[in-house]
Amino acid sequence: MRVGECLRLNRNSLRHLGGNQWALHVPLGKLHNERWVPLDDEARKIFERILSFTSTDSSDLPDPSTPLLLLPNGKTVSYCRISAALRKTAKRTGSPPARLHQLRHTYATVMLRAGISLTALKEILGHHDIRMTMGYVQVTQNDLQREYHLARKKMASVHNLPHLSGDHHPASGSSGIHDICRALDAVRHQLEMYRRQVPSQQEKNKIQSLARRLAKFRAALAASKTA
């Protein structure tokens, strides 16, 4: 949530959706939209603990619309006070100083790395446009490597990917031609996978033309092997 949304939460913001499902009802925020933010059991307990700090005598039950975050004197917690508390906590734990909004960016990145989809993250963050969500995501080289290899593993389970020849040395010319044909098959497959992702039809045609030439070359090699 944004800091302003957090400050506007009230005692009735925690909602039970049935079973083990809980959510925070976030009121109208920066983009004038309200939403439901899923909560796990730990976050629910934190919310209930904050509620317990407020006296609830049976003769004077608090109004459900009362702000959740209140000072002992009954005044609403301010942005400056929360920011100061964050700086104090960071200093006490030896962590580098951070701004409140950085926590929102960190949350988005961690959730994405944990496997949440961009569309679901967009709804949780309360963005109207997916491009706003992308601006929050910090993709590192490690992220790219992990996602690439996961995708390759999934592709291998669905498609019969051709493999390049190993480190063995062919004992004859015919086996060498066989290895070249396998390598050409692998290249053609990769070209086809790439062609499907290219938005430009002109580029698609160029890739397809190259693949055809490789296919003809492979056929000629295979024919020379049997000649």
Side-chain angles (χ1 to χ4, degrees):
M1 290 187 297
R2 302 173 182 90
V3 181
E5 293 171 338
C6 184
L7 293 176
R8 285 193 292 273
L9 291 176
N10 57 49
R11 296 178 58 87
N12 199 36
S13 293
L14 179 64
R15 306 292 177 85
H16 187 207
L17 305 181
N20 294 325
Q21 296 184 348
W22 294 82
L24 275 182
H25 176 248
V26 181
L28 294 177
K30 177 181 177 182
L31 301 180
H32 306 289
N33 61 330
E34 58 180 0
R35 65 189 189 281
W36 298 86
V37 177
L39 288 186
D40 56 21
D41 195 54
E42 183 178 356
R44 176 186 62 82
K45 290 178 180 178
I46 292 174
F47 188 98
E48 292 176 343
R49 185 181 179 191
I50 295 174
L51 283 180
S52 69
F53 293 153
T54 304
S55 175
T56 56
D57 296 333
S58 58
S59 59
D60 187 23
L61 291 176
D63 186 343
S65 63
T66 301
L68 175 68
L69 301 177
L70 293 175
L71 296 174
N73 59 9
K75 292 184 178 180
T76 305
V77 176
S78 67
Y79 176 92
C80 292
R81 185 174 287 270
I82 293 182
S83 183
L86 177 62
R87 290 195 301 270
K88 184 178 179 180
T89 301
K91 184 177 181 180
R92 187 171 66 246
T93 59
S95 303
R99 298 188 304 274
L100 287 170
H101 200 68
Q102 283 181 279
L103 301 181
R104 181 171 159 88
H105 283 254
T106 301
Y107 171 83
T109 301
V110 170
M111 288 293 285
L112 190 68
R113 289 174 179 170
I116 194 172
S117 68
L118 275 174
T119 51
L121 184 61
K122 166 183 169 292
E123 295 301 318
I124 291 177
L125 295 177
H127 290 158
H128 283 320
D129 194 320
I130 195 70
R131 288 174 294 183
M132 297 175 65
T133 311
M134 289 298 296
Y136 275 61
V137 177
Q138 301 172 11
V139 181
T140 66
Q141 185 58 227
N142 287 337
D143 296 327
L144 293 176
Q145 289 289 330
R146 183 185 68 252
E147 293 298 323
Y148 170 78
H149 289 294
L150 283 175
R152 287 286 296 169
K153 187 179 295 184
K154 290 180 181 178
M155 284 174 58
S157 65
V158 176
H159 304 286
N160 184 21
L161 299 181
H163 299 282
L164 296 176
S165 58
D167 296 331
H168 69 281
H169 297 283
S172 65
S174 62
S175 61
I177 291 176
H178 176 72
D179 289 340
I180 294 174
C181 288
R182 286 170 58 88
L184 287 172
D185 288 338
V187 173
R188 288 169 57 211
H189 177 82
Q190 293 297 330
L191 282 173
E192 175 59 22
M193 292 297 100
Y194 177 65
R195 186 187 68 82
R196 296 180 184 181
Q197 301 175 17
V198 174
S200 168
Q201 186 59 45
Q202 184 178 6
E203 292 299 320
K204 286 179 182 289
N205 294 339
K206 289 181 180 179
I207 295 171
Q208 195 168 29
S209 176
L210 175 59
R212 289 197 191 100
R213 290 199 295 271
L214 289 175
K216 290 180 180 179
F217 180 62
R218 184 200 184 286
L221 278 177
S224 67
K225 176 183 176 182
T226 57

PDB file of all heavy atoms in Angstrom, residues 119-147:
ATOM      1  N   THR A 119      -0.049  -9.036 -13.686  1.00  0.00           N
ATOM      2  CA  THR A 119      -1.436  -8.567 -13.608  1.00  0.00           C
ATOM      3  C   THR A 119      -1.951  -8.600 -12.173  1.00  0.00           C
ATOM      4  O   THR A 119      -2.652  -7.678 -11.737  1.00  0.00           O
ATOM      5  CB  THR A 119      -2.343  -9.425 -14.506  1.00  0.00           C
ATOM      6  OG1 THR A 119      -2.123 -10.814 -14.212  1.00  0.00           O
ATOM      7  CG2 THR A 119      -2.042  -9.179 -15.974  1.00  0.00           C
ATOM      8  N   ALA A 120      -1.604  -9.657 -11.430  1.00  0.00           N
ATOM      9  CA  ALA A 120      -2.029  -9.731 -10.027  1.00  0.00           C
ATOM     10  C   ALA A 120      -1.324  -8.659  -9.200  1.00  0.00           C
ATOM     11  O   ALA A 120      -1.938  -8.010  -8.344  1.00  0.00           O
ATOM     12  CB  ALA A 120      -1.729 -11.120  -9.462  1.00  0.00           C
ATOM     13  N   LEU A 121      -0.035  -8.449  -9.470  1.00  0.00           N
ATOM     14  CA  LEU A 121       0.720  -7.426  -8.745  1.00  0.00           C
ATOM     15  C   LEU A 121       0.150  -6.039  -9.030  1.00  0.00           C
ATOM     16  O   LEU A 121       0.065  -5.190  -8.134  1.00  0.00           O
ATOM     17  CB  LEU A 121       2.192  -7.493  -9.147  1.00  0.00           C
ATOM     18  CG  LEU A 121       3.149  -6.549  -8.411  1.00  0.00           C
ATOM     19  CD1 LEU A 121       3.148  -6.836  -6.911  1.00  0.00           C
ATOM     20  CD2 LEU A 121       4.561  -6.682  -8.969  1.00  0.00           C
ATOM     21  N   LYS A 122      -0.257  -5.825 -10.261  1.00  0.00           N
ATOM     22  CA  LYS A 122      -0.869  -4.545 -10.644  1.00  0.00           C
ATOM     23  C   LYS A 122      -2.102  -4.263  -9.791  1.00  0.00           C
ATOM     24  O   LYS A 122      -2.304  -3.132  -9.314  1.00  0.00           O
ATOM     25  CB  LYS A 122      -1.232  -4.583 -12.126  1.00  0.00           C
ATOM     26  CG  LYS A 122      -2.157  -3.474 -12.605  1.00  0.00           C
ATOM     27  CD  LYS A 122      -2.495  -3.668 -14.065  1.00  0.00           C
ATOM     28  CE  LYS A 122      -3.617  -2.738 -14.514  1.00  0.00           C
ATOM     29  NZ  LYS A 122      -4.913  -3.086 -13.880  1.00  0.00           N
ATOM     30  N   GLU A 123      -2.940  -5.271  -9.587  1.00  0.00           N
ATOM     31  CA  GLU A 123      -4.156  -5.084  -8.800  1.00  0.00           C
ATOM     32  C   GLU A 123      -3.835  -4.826  -7.330  1.00  0.00           C
ATOM     33  O   GLU A 123      -4.466  -3.998  -6.677  1.00  0.00           O
ATOM     34  CB  GLU A 123      -5.056  -6.320  -8.935  1.00  0.00           C
ATOM     35  CG  GLU A 123      -5.597  -6.549 -10.334  1.00  0.00           C
ATOM     36  CD  GLU A 123      -6.418  -5.374 -10.832  1.00  0.00           C
ATOM     37  OE1 GLU A 123      -7.218  -4.831 -10.042  1.00  0.00           O
ATOM     38  OE2 GLU A 123      -6.255  -4.988 -12.007  1.00  0.00           O
ATOM     39  N   ILE A 124      -2.853  -5.546  -6.802  1.00  0.00           N
ATOM     40  CA  ILE A 124      -2.487  -5.367  -5.394  1.00  0.00           C
ATOM     41  C   ILE A 124      -1.940  -3.963  -5.150  1.00  0.00           C
ATOM     42  O   ILE A 124      -2.250  -3.320  -4.139  1.00  0.00           O
ATOM     43  CB  ILE A 124      -1.454  -6.430  -4.972  1.00  0.00           C
ATOM     44  CG1 ILE A 124      -2.113  -7.812  -4.934  1.00  0.00           C
ATOM     45  CG2 ILE A 124      -0.854  -6.096  -3.606  1.00  0.00           C
ATOM     46  CD1 ILE A 124      -1.157  -8.939  -4.607  1.00  0.00           C
ATOM     47  N   LEU A 125      -1.125  -3.480  -6.083  1.00  0.00           N
ATOM     48  CA  LEU A 125      -0.532  -2.152  -5.925  1.00  0.00           C
ATOM     49  C   LEU A 125      -1.521  -1.031  -6.232  1.00  0.00           C
ATOM     50  O   LEU A 125      -1.274   0.130  -5.897  1.00  0.00           O
ATOM     51  CB  LEU A 125       0.692  -2.009  -6.832  1.00  0.00           C
ATOM     52  CG  LEU A 125       1.885  -2.921  -6.507  1.00  0.00           C
ATOM     53  CD1 LEU A 125       2.996  -2.719  -7.527  1.00  0.00           C
ATOM     54  CD2 LEU A 125       2.407  -2.661  -5.100  1.00  0.00           C
ATOM     55  N   GLY A 126      -2.624  -1.370  -6.889  1.00  0.00           N
ATOM     56  CA  GLY A 126      -3.623  -0.353  -7.195  1.00  0.00           C
ATOM     57  C   GLY A 126      -3.278   0.502  -8.393  1.00  0.00           C
ATOM     58  O   GLY A 126      -3.619   1.683  -8.436  1.00  0.00           O
ATOM     59  N   HIS A 127      -2.608  -0.088  -9.387  1.00  0.00           N
ATOM     60  CA  HIS A 127      -2.232   0.647 -10.592  1.00  0.00           C
ATOM     61  C   HIS A 127      -3.315   0.519 -11.660  1.00  0.00           C
ATOM     62  O   HIS A 127      -3.918  -0.547 -11.812  1.00  0.00           O
ATOM     63  CB  HIS A 127      -0.912   0.115 -11.153  1.00  0.00           C
ATOM     64  CG  HIS A 127       0.271   0.457 -10.307  1.00  0.00           C
ATOM     65  ND1 HIS A 127       1.456  -0.255 -10.347  1.00  0.00           N
ATOM     66  CD2 HIS A 127       0.456   1.439  -9.384  1.00  0.00           C
ATOM     67  CE1 HIS A 127       2.313   0.275  -9.490  1.00  0.00           C
ATOM     68  NE2 HIS A 127       1.732   1.299  -8.902  1.00  0.00           N
ATOM     69  N   HIS A 128      -3.526   1.586 -12.413  1.00  0.00           N
ATOM     70  CA  HIS A 128      -4.459   1.543 -13.535  1.00  0.00           C
ATOM     71  C   HIS A 128      -3.803   0.937 -14.773  1.00  0.00           C
ATOM     72  O   HIS A 128      -4.463   0.305 -15.590  1.00  0.00           O
ATOM     73  CB  HIS A 128      -4.951   2.957 -13.876  1.00  0.00           C
ATOM     74  CG  HIS A 128      -5.996   3.468 -12.933  1.00  0.00           C
ATOM     75  ND1 HIS A 128      -7.005   2.674 -12.441  1.00  0.00           N
ATOM     76  CD2 HIS A 128      -6.191   4.702 -12.383  1.00  0.00           C
ATOM     77  CE1 HIS A 128      -7.780   3.384 -11.643  1.00  0.00           C
ATOM     78  NE2 HIS A 128      -7.306   4.613 -11.579  1.00  0.00           N
ATOM     79  N   ASP A 129      -2.504   1.153 -14.914  1.00  0.00           N
ATOM     80  CA  ASP A 129      -1.779   0.757 -16.124  1.00  0.00           C
ATOM     81  C   ASP A 129      -0.634  -0.167 -15.743  1.00  0.00           C
ATOM     82  O   ASP A 129       0.101   0.099 -14.785  1.00  0.00           O
ATOM     83  CB  ASP A 129      -1.242   2.013 -16.828  1.00  0.00           C
ATOM     84  CG  ASP A 129      -0.772   1.732 -18.251  1.00  0.00           C
ATOM     85  OD1 ASP A 129      -0.154   0.676 -18.472  1.00  0.00           O
ATOM     86  OD2 ASP A 129      -1.011   2.575 -19.133  1.00  0.00           O
ATOM     87  N   ILE A 130      -0.472  -1.254 -16.494  1.00  0.00           N
ATOM     88  CA  ILE A 130       0.590  -2.221 -16.215  1.00  0.00           C
ATOM     89  C   ILE A 130       1.961  -1.581 -16.335  1.00  0.00           C
ATOM     90  O   ILE A 130       2.932  -2.026 -15.709  1.00  0.00           O
ATOM     91  CB  ILE A 130       0.471  -3.436 -17.174  1.00  0.00           C
ATOM     92  CG1 ILE A 130       1.324  -4.614 -16.670  1.00  0.00           C
ATOM     93  CG2 ILE A 130       0.875  -3.054 -18.587  1.00  0.00           C
ATOM     94  CD1 ILE A 130       0.800  -5.258 -15.441  1.00  0.00           C
ATOM     95  N   ARG A 131       2.067  -0.496 -17.115  1.00  0.00           N
ATOM     96  CA  ARG A 131       3.356   0.183 -17.261  1.00  0.00           C
ATOM     97  C   ARG A 131       3.796   0.825 -15.953  1.00  0.00           C
ATOM     98  O   ARG A 131       4.994   0.948 -15.687  1.00  0.00           O
ATOM     99  CB  ARG A 131       3.278   1.228 -18.378  1.00  0.00           C
ATOM    100  CG  ARG A 131       3.220   0.629 -19.785  1.00  0.00           C
ATOM    101  CD  ARG A 131       3.000   1.678 -20.845  1.00  0.00           C
ATOM    102  NE  ARG A 131       1.684   2.296 -20.717  1.00  0.00           N
ATOM    103  CZ  ARG A 131       1.205   3.210 -21.562  1.00  0.00           C
ATOM    104  NH1 ARG A 131       1.943   3.602 -22.589  1.00  0.00           N
ATOM    105  NH2 ARG A 131       0.004   3.721 -21.384  1.00  0.00           N
ATOM    106  N   MET A 132       2.840   1.228 -15.135  1.00  0.00           N
ATOM    107  CA  MET A 132       3.173   1.762 -13.816  1.00  0.00           C
ATOM    108  C   MET A 132       3.789   0.665 -12.954  1.00  0.00           C
ATOM    109  O   MET A 132       4.763   0.894 -12.228  1.00  0.00           O
ATOM    110  CB  MET A 132       1.921   2.321 -13.140  1.00  0.00           C
ATOM    111  CG  MET A 132       1.287   3.494 -13.856  1.00  0.00           C
ATOM    112  SD  MET A 132      -0.269   4.009 -13.080  1.00  0.00           S
ATOM    113  CE  MET A 132       0.326   4.587 -11.488  1.00  0.00           C
ATOM    114  N   THR A 133       3.236  -0.534 -13.058  1.00  0.00           N
ATOM    115  CA  THR A 133       3.760  -1.664 -12.284  1.00  0.00           C
ATOM    116  C   THR A 133       5.172  -2.006 -12.724  1.00  0.00           C
ATOM    117  O   THR A 133       6.041  -2.288 -11.893  1.00  0.00           O
ATOM    118  CB  THR A 133       2.844  -2.889 -12.460  1.00  0.00           C
ATOM    119  OG1 THR A 133       1.485  -2.497 -12.243  1.00  0.00           O
ATOM    120  CG2 THR A 133       3.210  -3.988 -11.483  1.00  0.00           C
ATOM    121  N   MET A 134       5.417  -1.985 -14.035  1.00  0.00           N
ATOM    122  CA  MET A 134       6.743  -2.295 -14.556  1.00  0.00           C
ATOM    123  C   MET A 134       7.788  -1.326 -14.022  1.00  0.00           C
ATOM    124  O   MET A 134       8.947  -1.692 -13.822  1.00  0.00           O
ATOM    125  CB  MET A 134       6.731  -2.252 -16.086  1.00  0.00           C
ATOM    126  CG  MET A 134       5.972  -3.396 -16.735  1.00  0.00           C
ATOM    127  SD  MET A 134       6.687  -5.007 -16.365  1.00  0.00           S
ATOM    128  CE  MET A 134       8.296  -4.836 -17.144  1.00  0.00           C
ATOM    129  N   GLY A 135       7.381  -0.089 -13.772  1.00  0.00           N
ATOM    130  CA  GLY A 135       8.312   0.897 -13.238  1.00  0.00           C
ATOM    131  C   GLY A 135       8.768   0.578 -11.825  1.00  0.00           C
ATOM    132  O   GLY A 135       9.796   1.084 -11.368  1.00  0.00           O
ATOM    133  N   TYR A 136       8.010  -0.264 -11.128  1.00  0.00           N
ATOM    134  CA  TYR A 136       8.361  -0.638  -9.763  1.00  0.00           C
ATOM    135  C   TYR A 136       9.308  -1.827  -9.710  1.00  0.00           C
ATOM    136  O   TYR A 136       9.958  -2.075  -8.712  1.00  0.00           O
ATOM    137  CB  TYR A 136       7.092  -1.011  -8.984  1.00  0.00           C
ATOM    138  CG  TYR A 136       6.375   0.161  -8.378  1.00  0.00           C
ATOM    139  CD1 TYR A 136       5.876   1.179  -9.175  1.00  0.00           C
ATOM    140  CD2 TYR A 136       6.194   0.255  -7.014  1.00  0.00           C
ATOM    141  CE1 TYR A 136       5.211   2.258  -8.634  1.00  0.00           C
ATOM    142  CE2 TYR A 136       5.528   1.326  -6.450  1.00  0.00           C
ATOM    143  CZ  TYR A 136       5.039   2.330  -7.267  1.00  0.00           C
ATOM    144  OH  TYR A 136       4.391   3.396  -6.718  1.00  0.00           O
ATOM    145  N   VAL A 137       9.355  -2.579 -10.788  1.00  0.00           N
ATOM    146  CA  VAL A 137      10.069  -3.849 -10.776  1.00  0.00           C
ATOM    147  C   VAL A 137      11.543  -3.649 -11.090  1.00  0.00           C
ATOM    148  O   VAL A 137      11.899  -3.023 -12.084  1.00  0.00           O
ATOM    149  CB  VAL A 137       9.442  -4.820 -11.801  1.00  0.00           C
ATOM    150  CG1 VAL A 137      10.221  -6.116 -11.840  1.00  0.00           C
ATOM    151  CG2 VAL A 137       7.995  -5.089 -11.435  1.00  0.00           C
ATOM    152  N   GLN A 138      12.388  -4.177 -10.236  1.00  0.00           N
ATOM    153  CA  GLN A 138      13.829  -4.118 -10.440  1.00  0.00           C
ATOM    154  C   GLN A 138      14.300  -5.505 -10.884  1.00  0.00           C
ATOM    155  O   GLN A 138      14.346  -6.435 -10.084  1.00  0.00           O
ATOM    156  CB  GLN A 138      14.540  -3.709  -9.153  1.00  0.00           C
ATOM    157  CG  GLN A 138      14.105  -2.356  -8.609  1.00  0.00           C
ATOM    158  CD  GLN A 138      14.691  -2.079  -7.242  1.00  0.00           C
ATOM    159  OE1 GLN A 138      15.570  -2.790  -6.778  1.00  0.00           O
ATOM    160  NE2 GLN A 138      14.194  -1.042  -6.597  1.00  0.00           N
ATOM    161  N   VAL A 139      14.614  -5.629 -12.162  1.00  0.00           N
ATOM    162  CA  VAL A 139      15.031  -6.917 -12.712  1.00  0.00           C
ATOM    163  C   VAL A 139      16.558  -6.949 -12.791  1.00  0.00           C
ATOM    164  O   VAL A 139      17.169  -6.141 -13.480  1.00  0.00           O
ATOM    165  CB  VAL A 139      14.424  -7.147 -14.112  1.00  0.00           C
ATOM    166  CG1 VAL A 139      14.858  -8.499 -14.661  1.00  0.00           C
ATOM    167  CG2 VAL A 139      12.907  -7.062 -14.041  1.00  0.00           C
ATOM    168  N   THR A 140      17.163  -7.876 -12.080  1.00  0.00           N
ATOM    169  CA  THR A 140      18.617  -8.004 -12.080  1.00  0.00           C
ATOM    170  C   THR A 140      19.037  -9.076 -13.079  1.00  0.00           C
ATOM    171  O   THR A 140      18.218  -9.819 -13.618  1.00  0.00           O
ATOM    172  CB  THR A 140      19.126  -8.387 -10.684  1.00  0.00           C
ATOM    173  OG1 THR A 140      18.662  -9.714 -10.368  1.00  0.00           O
ATOM    174  CG2 THR A 140      18.620  -7.415  -9.634  1.00  0.00           C
ATOM    175  N   GLN A 141      20.331  -9.176 -13.311  1.00  0.00           N
ATOM    176  CA  GLN A 141      20.852 -10.195 -14.213  1.00  0.00           C
ATOM    177  C   GLN A 141      20.551 -11.592 -13.677  1.00  0.00           C
ATOM    178  O   GLN A 141      20.256 -12.513 -14.448  1.00  0.00           O
ATOM    179  CB  GLN A 141      22.359 -10.013 -14.394  1.00  0.00           C
ATOM    180  CG  GLN A 141      22.985 -10.956 -15.408  1.00  0.00           C
ATOM    181  CD  GLN A 141      22.368 -10.829 -16.790  1.00  0.00           C
ATOM    182  OE1 GLN A 141      22.030 -11.831 -17.429  1.00  0.00           O
ATOM    183  NE2 GLN A 141      22.201  -9.601 -17.270  1.00  0.00           N
ATOM    184  N   ASN A 142      20.588 -11.740 -12.351  1.00  0.00           N
ATOM    185  CA  ASN A 142      20.245 -13.035 -11.758  1.00  0.00           C
ATOM    186  C   ASN A 142      18.796 -13.400 -12.048  1.00  0.00           C
ATOM    187  O   ASN A 142      18.469 -14.567 -12.291  1.00  0.00           O
ATOM    188  CB  ASN A 142      20.482 -13.006 -10.244  1.00  0.00           C
ATOM    189  CG  ASN A 142      21.954 -13.017  -9.898  1.00  0.00           C
ATOM    190  OD1 ASN A 142      22.781 -13.456 -10.689  1.00  0.00           O
ATOM    191  ND2 ASN A 142      22.293 -12.530  -8.713  1.00  0.00           N
ATOM    192  N   ASP A 143      17.916 -12.395 -12.005  1.00  0.00           N
ATOM    193  CA  ASP A 143      16.511 -12.639 -12.331  1.00  0.00           C
ATOM    194  C   ASP A 143      16.375 -13.122 -13.772  1.00  0.00           C
ATOM    195  O   ASP A 143      15.634 -14.070 -14.059  1.00  0.00           O
ATOM    196  CB  ASP A 143      15.685 -11.363 -12.149  1.00  0.00           C
ATOM    197  CG  ASP A 143      15.657 -10.899 -10.707  1.00  0.00           C
ATOM    198  OD1 ASP A 143      15.690 -11.760  -9.814  1.00  0.00           O
ATOM    199  OD2 ASP A 143      15.614  -9.683 -10.482  1.00  0.00           O
ATOM    200  N   LEU A 144      17.083 -12.452 -14.682  1.00  0.00           N
ATOM    201  CA  LEU A 144      17.006 -12.820 -16.094  1.00  0.00           C
ATOM    202  C   LEU A 144      17.506 -14.244 -16.317  1.00  0.00           C
ATOM    203  O   LEU A 144      16.899 -15.026 -17.053  1.00  0.00           O
ATOM    204  CB  LEU A 144      17.827 -11.836 -16.937  1.00  0.00           C
ATOM    205  CG  LEU A 144      17.305 -10.397 -17.013  1.00  0.00           C
ATOM    206  CD1 LEU A 144      18.280  -9.535 -17.801  1.00  0.00           C
ATOM    207  CD2 LEU A 144      15.933 -10.356 -17.662  1.00  0.00           C
ATOM    208  N   GLN A 145      18.628 -14.582 -15.680  1.00  0.00           N
ATOM    209  CA  GLN A 145      19.178 -15.922 -15.838  1.00  0.00           C
ATOM    210  C   GLN A 145      18.208 -16.982 -15.304  1.00  0.00           C
ATOM    211  O   GLN A 145      17.985 -18.017 -15.940  1.00  0.00           O
ATOM    212  CB  GLN A 145      20.521 -16.020 -15.093  1.00  0.00           C
ATOM    213  CG  GLN A 145      21.653 -15.242 -15.736  1.00  0.00           C
ATOM    214  CD  GLN A 145      22.117 -15.875 -17.033  1.00  0.00           C
ATOM    215  OE1 GLN A 145      22.032 -17.090 -17.210  1.00  0.00           O
ATOM    216  NE2 GLN A 145      22.611 -15.056 -17.951  1.00  0.00           N
ATOM    217  N   ARG A 146      17.633 -16.711 -14.131  1.00  0.00           N
ATOM    218  CA  ARG A 146      16.712 -17.678 -13.534  1.00  0.00           C
ATOM    219  C   ARG A 146      15.482 -17.875 -14.409  1.00  0.00           C
ATOM    220  O   ARG A 146      15.073 -19.008 -14.698  1.00  0.00           O
ATOM    221  CB  ARG A 146      16.287 -17.202 -12.148  1.00  0.00           C
ATOM    222  CG  ARG A 146      15.378 -18.204 -11.427  1.00  0.00           C
ATOM    223  CD  ARG A 146      14.860 -17.676 -10.110  1.00  0.00           C
ATOM    224  NE  ARG A 146      13.935 -16.572 -10.296  1.00  0.00           N
ATOM    225  CZ  ARG A 146      14.221 -15.312 -10.020  1.00  0.00           C
ATOM    226  NH1 ARG A 146      15.397 -14.992  -9.533  1.00  0.00           N
ATOM    227  NH2 ARG A 146      13.330 -14.357 -10.219  1.00  0.00           N
ATOM    228  N   GLU A 147      14.879 -16.760 -14.866  1.00  0.00           N
ATOM    229  CA  GLU A 147      13.678 -16.861 -15.684  1.00  0.00           C
ATOM    230  C   GLU A 147      13.967 -17.542 -17.016  1.00  0.00           C
ATOM    231  O   GLU A 147      13.157 -18.323 -17.517  1.00  0.00           O
ATOM    232  CB  GLU A 147      13.099 -15.458 -15.929  1.00  0.00           C
ATOM    233  CG  GLU A 147      12.561 -14.783 -14.682  1.00  0.00           C
ATOM    234  CD  GLU A 147      11.411 -15.555 -14.071  1.00  0.00           C
ATOM    235  OE1 GLU A 147      10.590 -16.116 -14.825  1.00  0.00           O
ATOM    236  OE2 GLU A 147      11.336 -15.618 -12.830  1.00  0.00           O
TER     237      GLU A 147
END
